[in-house]
Amino acid sequence: MRIQVVNPNTTRGMTAAVTRAAEAAAGGRFELRCSQPADGPLSIETAADTIAASPHVVAEVVAGVAEGCAGHVIACFDDPAVAACREVASGPVVGIAEGSMLAASVLGIRYGVVTTARAGIPMIEDMAVRYGLDRKLQSVRSCEMAVLELDGSPASNARVLTAAQQVLDDGAEVVVLGCAGMAQSAVWLESELRAPVVEGVAATVGLVYGMAAAGLRTSKLGAYAHPEGVAVR
Amino acid sequence: MRIQVVNPNTTRGMTAAVTRAAEAAAGGRFELRCSQPADGPLSIETAADTIAASPHVVAEVVAGVAEGCAGHVIACFDDPAVAACREVASGPVVGIAEGSMLAASVLGIRYGVVTTARAGIPMIEDMAVRYGLDRKLQSVRSCEMAVLELDGSPASNARVLTAAQQVLDDGAEVVVLGCAGMAQSAVWLESELRAPVVEGVAATVGLVYGMAAAGLRTSKLGAYAHPEGVAVR
Amino acid sequence: MRIQVVNPNTTRGMTAAVTRAAEAAAGGRFELRCSQPADGPLSIETAADTIAASPHVVAEVVAGVAEGCAGHVIACFDDPAVAACREVASGPVVGIAEGSMLAASVLGIRYGVVTTARAGIPMIEDMAVRYGLDRKLQSVRSCEMAVLELDGSPASNARVLTAAQQVLDDGAEVVVLGCAGMAQSAVWLESELRAPVVEGVAATVGLVYGMAAAGLRTSKLGAYAHPEGVAVR
Amino acid sequence: MRIQVVNPNTTRGMTAAVTRAAEAAAGGRFELRCSQPADGPLSIETAADTIAASPHVVAEVVAGVAEGCAGHVIACFDDPAVAACREVASGPVVGIAEGSMLAASVLGIRYGVVTTARAGIPMIEDMAVRYGLDRKLQSVRSCEMAVLELDGSPASNARVLTAAQQVLDDGAEVVVLGCAGMAQSAVWLESELRAPVVEGVAATVGLVYGMAAAGLRTSKLGAYAHPEGVAVR
Amino acid sequence: MRIQVVNPNTTRGMTAAVTRAAEAAAGGRFELRCSQPADGPLSIETAADTIAASPHVVAEVVAGVAEGCAGHVIACFDDPAVAACREVASGPVVGIAEGSMLAASVLGIRYGVVTTARAGIPMIEDMAVRYGLDRKLQSVRSCEMAVLELDGSPASNARVLTAAQQVLDDGAEVVVLGCAGMAQSAVWLESELRAPVVEGVAATVGLVYGMAAAGLRTSKLGAYAHPEGVAVR
Amino acid sequence: MRIQVVNPNTTRGMTAAVTRAAEAAAGGRFELRCSQPADGPLSIETAADTIAASPHVVAEVVAGVAEGCAGHVIACFDDPAVAACREVASGPVVGIAEGSMLAASVLGIRYGVVTTARAGIPMIEDMAVRYGLDRKLQSVRSCEMAVLELDGSPASNARVLTAAQQVLDDGAEVVVLGCAGMAQSAVWLESELRAPVVEGVAATVGLVYGMAAAGLRTSKLGAYAHPEGVAVR
């Protein structure tokens, strides 16, 4: 069984970090197809970025479907293009925000999210509402760094840790890392905190693999029916 | 004062219908800049379509901003790319779903939506939730026609009327037309029903004009800050 | 086209301020009928006040309807008697709380309200829930002044500004002024803050005018059917 | 201990029916002060009626407070003027809609409401939302009769019974009678149905008496502080 | 009429305190059957405790029903086993969390809860959601004491008072005591605070008595139908 | 890695069916520990049943933890004792209602549930609310059979199929089987319907395995802290 993991941005360092996180989660039990699109923005931090990245994300999933991937993970906390990816796929497609929130919701009575920028906090709250997981969301805190500044260095990790501790002090029992770029720090963070740290790539790879292995498939009855020949540009 | 109206698809007949609806709402009181993008899908009925149309919609708004438009209407009931359009604009940007739901919410205690396809009903319910107007949404009914089949002919109108009557029978007090393609039938529908018919282009042009005239502008503080140089492809 | 603006209280200074705000929003594009009732409380700060003012507010709207007004604004942030006004009107009737919250909801991802008294904060939160705009409401802050103390003086303005800044610091991207008495300070406030300031009279006059100009009318099918001869005392 | 029951309308037949229902609930255990206002509308079916009745309802409660009533029931399913009554009272004040919904919510997993007119259904749904009891509200059905047509005759009872049965068929486990005028039929209805019938006057008299006897009082800290000298006209 | 009050834990001191609170609420107007189960945990602070206590709580209610009790109060703020108790009872069954939240919801526009442990705050928030009373819940504060440490001593009272004051400072207008063990301090607390203090045993005894006296009974139609012979172990 | 699956009732035929469904989902990729408790009710259809079964379910999980199980599935659609099981476990614990609703929520825009008895529909709706997945729940339909009547026979299957088709006709895009007893019919049902059928045991085994394999563990910080020595009876 092969699970696809798409890094929606075109920064190779992030694709590498995402791949490592996915491989750790897979632990050799199944194959992975990890990639970034051929084109698109270097990072996704605005609605403009999401629009720019989306067609390329879908193209990657189309390729993954052609290669027989049984499930698909979109490795950006904005969950870009997930609906369109579900249109072209048969197996489950889950973005890492939805995946980590779903996972966190069964691990504790409340979870919190650490994100990059303060201005992005409402977008994460709105995503939680969309996924139905807003009541369990205790708080969202920011470490005030740009996506591409997250590099796993001690300075970078310290700032993420501070925000994670704030989330626990707010009353959350589980910390969700709100950016794929934090994946590289997940193990270290969990050793520093007394709470589970849900890293989106690992959690969602696990969920999608588990669901695909159980034979679960995306419904083609309505919202996610195949677009039937409409090319994505 | 000039208000921009963008038809996100590339079907000239629809752009013409949208323009007529906008002009009727403006009544000569202000200028309009009505257009369709240079490229993109002929109709927007899937998530793939939305992705394909989005960059072109934003490009139209960029052009409208450069020409000094004071407000912007996105004339497709999927409200595609509204967030990204708000990033590049100063004046208010409102999609016709959000605009007609907001308008309907003050005209009656409950409103209903007539849409094209049954499979699209959940998407409209979810949009109402996103806009906070789901409690006032009594029901959504479909006339089972493709977007480009809506042509203002008696046969087409009859099907829309049937669905509109169902919405009133369900208990709604206001009918919202859930597709820009229904604009051409709005006047006739209102003469047949005893309830207000909210046609999205007219309603949203009215709202946006009213807000722009009152000096209201999009906040650049957070979610809709200008993307600062990130080109939309 | 004439738009009616009713100041529900009987304080002439406030009626003057409300009129100025409405005239600035109209900018000469359309006529206004601004008035206060013949009788009623000097200010509206309790439920008792609302009850005392309501019949007089409705009487003003009845008069406005008789004079052919196409839309009606109720210029008090308690939105008193709006439902009863909708019963006697044909055109749209919107209170300035509902109007400013609707406007704010499309200008930023979160808005906040500055109100007069701390004890009134829950009432504003409940209104936001009623209008469906509670999720976008980031916070409500009070400037701890009575309605009639708001006089546009530097001392008064400074207190409103402080509360407005708190609302932005809480994470809101748009500031809504939660009392018609703050209208006189709106321009100054916007020059001091980096965020849009939604002053209810101006915003709602804009919305109502835009909707009336687009031909939108209150539904007489159910909740807002004319009370048919039952005199309002 | 004396509990006040106010019929907000000025129809003596209804005041008599309300009094009988209250007396049955009191069963001689405590005193009642049942009255209708000196002036006001004969029935309450529109927002205009509510406005007309409200000052007179509050005046009745002021009188009841002066006579030492320990709790107050507003016997109209519109719960008119409850907030203003709480301002002038010390003991609990509960309208029969809020009272019957609260009672119903602990007697079954879902309750339904029988109301008079179909057009009034959304208002009842909105009240349930306001009281937090909307999720437990299974449905609202109407018997299509004017308030003053409910007279306890076999014809009147049969129509109420039909609507009550619909509510149970919809899945409710408890029937709430949505008009004080149905009080006279409550005993007969319960004998016909297999489900508890919550008649608002009886249920709310019970609740208010129980709360007053337990020493519970309205908070004067904020929303329900005494209006301090503002006369209600 | 006899009302049953069950202390779900097996600590005699708490049963005594619960009994005193119930007797004060009853004021001699009706009989009480106060008891603790024959077996079960000494306190209820974990889900394991709730499971251990539940069968014994139901057994107490079965006994109370056999003795003709007309209503039943479950005197633990976890509201353990309420659904199962409703299955075996005819009269109303209410837990003190649901009872105090319902009572508080009509006494002020916002209420707050004082609980024992910080870690328990989310459970109380979730209960408020379940009962529909979460919007009126302003905050939950903890006094950081174990259930059995609450002994009415000055030190114990001081800690509860501090948390109660925090809840009022947060904006609540009514304080709900979130543990039956606080019952003994209720009178003293109310004398120290300017706000109503809702002590769950007294409030719920009042509510249940009032409802039973009004003839209200649990519906046996669905969720609370008698389990018909399935013994509870 | 070993995943535990507990059938909370003591009917051997159901345990066998549950085991088969789990084994199909595991597909030999990992070990399973499938069991039923030593004691407890034969089926779980009332709150009394849930109380009776709960301590035995927790005891099974305690045993599974001692044997090193990395995750735990509670195979009854009532999700009995899940919170208490989380207290005693380290790995994830998920009931099959929560598991199938979470899985269904990413496979289609709306899902529906087929349950056994009509009277149980509100309980399932309430569970969806608790899990945050109520907006995506389109409908719940019943096949009107007792839990132990589900035997995989053509007659039994036909009734489940009818209810499943109703759920799709209501607008759902995914069918969730609302009883572990339906597991044996899942493959046949999916062949008859055009929509994904989410069978709770298989889906939850997949989710839990995926999460455990990704290293996700239950938080011991608050609600699910170990009860520390309090024996479950």
Side-chain angles (χ1 to χ4, degrees), chain B residues 53-230:
Chain B
S54 291
H56 306 292
V57 172
V58 179
E60 280 301 298
V61 171
V62 168
V65 169
E67 290 170 30
C69 291
H72 315 266
V73 174
I74 309 303
C76 165
F77 213 81
D78 280 0
D79 288 359
V82 166
C85 291
R86 287 175 178 163
E87 285 180 344
V88 298
S90 308
V93 180
V94 187
I96 62 171
E98 186 163 24
S100 36
M101 289 178 183
L102 289 179
S105 76
V106 302
L107 300 177
I109 198 174
R110 293 287 188 269
Y111 70 96
V113 179
V114 174
T115 186
T116 50
R118 180 163 200 249
I121 291 176
M123 270 81 93
I124 289 179
E125 295 171 344
D126 286 357
M127 268 200 294
V129 169
R130 205 153 70 232
Y131 301 140
L133 299 168
D134 51 302
R135 282 218 211 91
K136 295 184 174 184
L137 175 62
Q138 184 70 27
S139 73
V140 184
R141 293 283 190 164
S142 61
C143 57
E144 291 312 306
M145 294 168 60
V147 170
L148 298 182
E149 289 181 314
L150 295 161
D151 58 8
S153 67
S156 172
N157 282 355
R159 294 186 75 159
V160 176
L161 180 68
T162 296
Q165 192 57 62
Q166 285 176 333
V167 143
L168 295 177
D169 292 345
D170 289 336
E173 302 184 351
V174 178
V175 175
V176 168
L177 299 184
C179 177
M182 296 178 189
Q184 45 200 325
S185 316
V187 173
W188 178 79
L189 283 164
E190 196 155 58
S191 70
E192 294 289 313
L193 301 162
R194 290 171 46 219
V197 171
V198 176
E199 190 283 299
V201 176
T204 311
V205 164
L207 279 175
V208 167
Y209 171 67
M211 291 180 61
L216 294 172
R217 299 168 76 80
T218 294
S219 178
K220 310 311 289 179
L221 264 195
Y224 305 133
H226 199 279
E228 287 162 300
V230 177

Side-chain angles (χ1 to χ4, degrees), chain D residues 29 86 98 102-103 106-109 129 132 135 173 194 196 202 206-207 209-211 213-214 217-219 221-224, chain E residues 29 86 98 102-103 106-109 129 132 135 173 194 196 202 206-207 209-211 213-214 217-219 221-224:
Chain D
R29 277 181 299 277
R86 287 175 178 164
E98 185 163 27
L102 288 179
V106 302
L107 301 177
I109 198 173
V129 169
R135 282 220 211 90
E173 301 184 352
R194 290 173 45 217
L207 278 176
Y209 169 67
M211 291 180 60
R217 300 168 76 80
T218 293
S219 179
L221 265 194
Y224 305 133
Chain E
R29 277 181 298 276
R86 287 174 177 164
E98 186 163 24
L102 289 179
V106 302
L107 300 177
I109 198 175
V129 169
R135 284 218 211 91
E173 303 183 351
R194 290 171 45 216
L207 278 175
Y209 170 67
M211 291 180 59
R217 300 167 77 78
T218 294
S219 178
L221 264 195
Y224 305 134

Side-chain angles (χ1 to χ4, degrees), chain A residues 25 29 86 92-94 98 102-103 105-109 129-133 135-136 168 172-174 194-198 202-203 206-207 209-211 213-214 216-219 221-224, chain F residues 25 29 86 92-94 98 102-103 105-109 129-133 135-136 168 172-174 194-198 202-203 206-207 209-211 213-214 216-219 221-224:
Chain A
R29 277 181 299 276
R86 287 174 179 165
V93 180
V94 187
E98 186 163 25
L102 288 179
S105 78
V106 302
L107 300 177
I109 198 174
V129 169
R130 206 152 72 230
Y131 301 141
L133 299 169
R135 283 220 211 90
K136 295 185 174 186
L168 295 176
E173 302 185 352
V174 178
R194 290 172 45 217
V197 170
V198 175
L207 277 175
Y209 170 67
M211 291 180 59
L216 294 172
R217 299 167 78 79
T218 293
S219 178
L221 264 194
Y224 305 134
Chain F
R29 277 180 300 276
R86 287 175 178 163
V93 180
V94 187
E98 185 164 26
L102 288 179
S105 76
V106 302
L107 300 177
I109 198 174
V129 169
R130 205 153 69 233
Y131 300 141
L133 299 169
R135 283 218 210 91
K136 295 185 172 184
L168 294 177
E173 303 184 350
V174 179
R194 291 171 44 218
V197 170
V198 175
L207 278 175
Y209 169 68
M211 291 179 61
L216 294 172
R217 299 168 76 81
T218 293
S219 179
L221 265 195
Y224 305 134

Side-chain angles (χ1 to χ4, degrees), chain F residues 128-191:
Chain F
V129 169
R130 205 153 69 233
Y131 300 141
L133 299 169
D134 50 302
R135 283 218 210 91
K136 295 185 172 184
L137 174 62
Q138 184 70 27
S139 74
V140 185
R141 293 282 192 165
S142 60
C143 57
E144 292 310 307
M145 295 168 60
V147 170
L148 299 183
E149 289 182 313
L150 296 161
D151 58 6
S153 67
S156 173
N157 283 355
R159 295 184 76 160
V160 177
L161 180 69
T162 297
Q165 193 56 61
Q166 286 176 334
V167 142
L168 294 177
D169 292 344
D170 288 335
E173 303 184 350
V174 179
V175 175
V176 168
L177 300 183
C179 178
M182 296 178 188
Q184 45 200 327
S185 315
V187 172
W188 178 81
L189 284 164
E190 196 156 57
S191 69

Side-chain angles (χ1 to χ4, degrees), chain D residues 12-198:
Chain D
R12 296 202 174 284
M14 265 191 80
T15 305
V18 162
T19 303
R20 284 192 300 271
E23 287 172 343
R29 277 181 299 277
F30 51 92
E31 289 182 55
L32 291 166
R33 181 200 195 278
C34 299
S35 69
Q36 67 188 42
D39 197 4
L42 287 169
S43 71
I44 299 179
E45 282 160 296
T46 66
D49 294 330
T50 297
I51 282 178
S54 291
H56 306 291
V57 172
V58 178
E60 280 303 297
V61 172
V62 168
V65 169
E67 289 172 30
C69 291
H72 315 266
V73 173
I74 310 302
C76 165
F77 212 81
D78 280 0
D79 288 358
V82 165
C85 291
R86 287 175 178 164
E87 285 179 345
V88 299
S90 308
V93 180
V94 187
I96 63 172
E98 185 163 27
S100 38
M101 290 178 181
L102 288 179
S105 76
V106 302
L107 301 177
I109 198 173
R110 292 289 188 268
Y111 69 96
V113 178
V114 174
T115 185
T116 50
R118 180 163 198 248
I121 291 176
M123 269 83 92
I124 289 179
E125 294 171 344
D126 286 358
M127 267 200 295
V129 169
R130 204 153 72 232
Y131 301 141
L133 299 168
D134 51 301
R135 282 220 211 90
K136 294 184 173 186
L137 174 63
Q138 184 71 25
S139 73
V140 185
R141 293 283 192 164
S142 61
C143 57
E144 291 312 306
M145 294 168 59
V147 171
L148 300 182
E149 289 182 312
L150 295 162
D151 58 8
S153 67
S156 172
N157 282 356
R159 295 184 76 158
V160 177
L161 180 68
T162 297
Q165 192 58 60
Q166 286 176 333
V167 144
L168 294 177
D169 292 345
D170 288 336
E173 301 184 352
V174 178
V175 175
V176 168
L177 299 183
C179 178
M182 296 177 188
Q184 47 200 325
S185 315
V187 172
W188 177 79
L189 284 164
E190 198 157 57
S191 69
E192 294 289 313
L193 300 162
R194 290 173 45 217
V197 171
V198 175

